Amino acid sequence: TISGAVNPSEGCTPCAAGGYSVGGNSISCTAKTCLPGSASDKVGSVSPTDDCIQCLMGSYSPGGTATSCLPINCVPGKFSSTLGATSESDGCNSCAPGSYSIGGAITTCSPMTCNPGAFSDTFGSINPNDGCGDCVVGTYSAGGASTTCSAMNCNAGAIATLTGAGHDQDGCVACAAGSYGNGGASTVCFPKECVAGKYSPNVGATSSTDGSS
């Protein structure tokens, strides 16, 4: 209030953001008490929690007299998934396999970009290729955000030979003469079983007797 006022509302000034007043003969504003996870930038508040707004994902507030929410600061590999966060790391969760985050105020994880023949089953990856591992022989992956490898589909008479195969017939090799293969995800050729008096000159035989002469 101002000394020498001539009417009841003369010289009444709105409280700045972060403060409030119930009016009457108040001569100063009182600090607001927004709940943790919320803030208020309202000028002229009339109660301790007047217009306290919950912080969005990617931001936080300690509450009290806070007039705005501050950016979350998740560590790399994590993202912010919480409304009304109360500290700079509140609600930071690890990215699922197949995704990554550079941290900070990120609210979603981005897809991994593993090379063909690789996959990622790691939680909390920090870059597009973090934790990408080669598929074992007998399996393949198109890469990208793949989290598992799939079984190869070599033709009958062939076997899978390649670590880090990028498609279902990548690295399939026909079994040598004197052996046969079941195809699919098989990684080993088996010896032929020709009867006495016969031999096996064929490459890529599909059974123990296929191509016996």
Side-chain angles (χ1 to χ4, degrees), residues 126-172:
I126 62 175
N127 64 57
N129 298 108
D130 183 28
C132 293
D134 287 337
C135 294
V136 298
V137 177
T139 64
Y140 76 96
S141 168
S146 296
T147 59
T148 59
C149 298
S150 303
M152 295 285 289
N153 188 29
C154 295
N155 294 329
I159 59 170
T161 64
L162 188 64
T163 297
H167 57 79
D168 66 356
Q169 293 199 334
D170 189 13
C172 292

Side-chain angles (χ1 to χ4, degrees), residues 73-208:
N73 189 27
C74 295
V75 298
K78 293 190 174 186
F79 69 106
S80 170
S81 61
T82 300
L83 292 170
T86 61
S87 70
E88 66 176 10
S89 60
D90 184 25
C92 292
N93 294 313
S94 294
C95 293
S99 63
Y100 76 97
S101 166
I102 59 173
I106 297 294
T107 58
T108 57
C109 298
S110 301
M112 298 283 288
T113 57
C114 294
N115 292 326
F119 71 106
S120 173
D121 60 358
T122 303
F123 284 90
S125 292
I126 62 175
N127 64 57
N129 298 108
D130 183 28
C132 293
D134 287 337
C135 294
V136 298
V137 177
T139 64
Y140 76 96
S141 168
S146 296
T147 59
T148 59
C149 298
S150 303
M152 295 285 289
N153 188 29
C154 295
N155 294 329
I159 59 170
T161 64
L162 188 64
T163 297
H167 57 79
D168 66 356
Q169 293 199 334
D170 189 13
C172 292
V173 174
C175 291
S179 64
Y180 73 96
N182 294 322
S186 296
T187 60
V188 177
C189 295
F190 302 99
K192 294 290 289 290
E193 298 175 1
C194 297
V195 298
K198 291 189 174 184
Y199 70 102
S200 176
N202 290 0
V203 173
T206 60
S207 72
S208 62

Side-chain angles (χ1 to χ4, degrees), residues 39-101:
S40 173
D41 62 357
K42 182 178 180 179
V43 174
S45 292
V46 299
S47 72
T49 57
D50 185 17
D51 205 43
C52 292
I53 305 298
Q54 187 179 52
C55 295
L56 299 176
M57 286 189 294
S59 63
Y60 77 97
S61 169
T65 60
T67 58
S68 64
C69 297
L70 304 172
I72 286 281
N73 189 27
C74 295
V75 298
K78 293 190 174 186
F79 69 106
S80 170
S81 61
T82 300
L83 292 170
T86 61
S87 70
E88 66 176 10
S89 60
D90 184 25
C92 292
N93 294 313
S94 294
C95 293
S99 63
Y100 76 97
S101 166

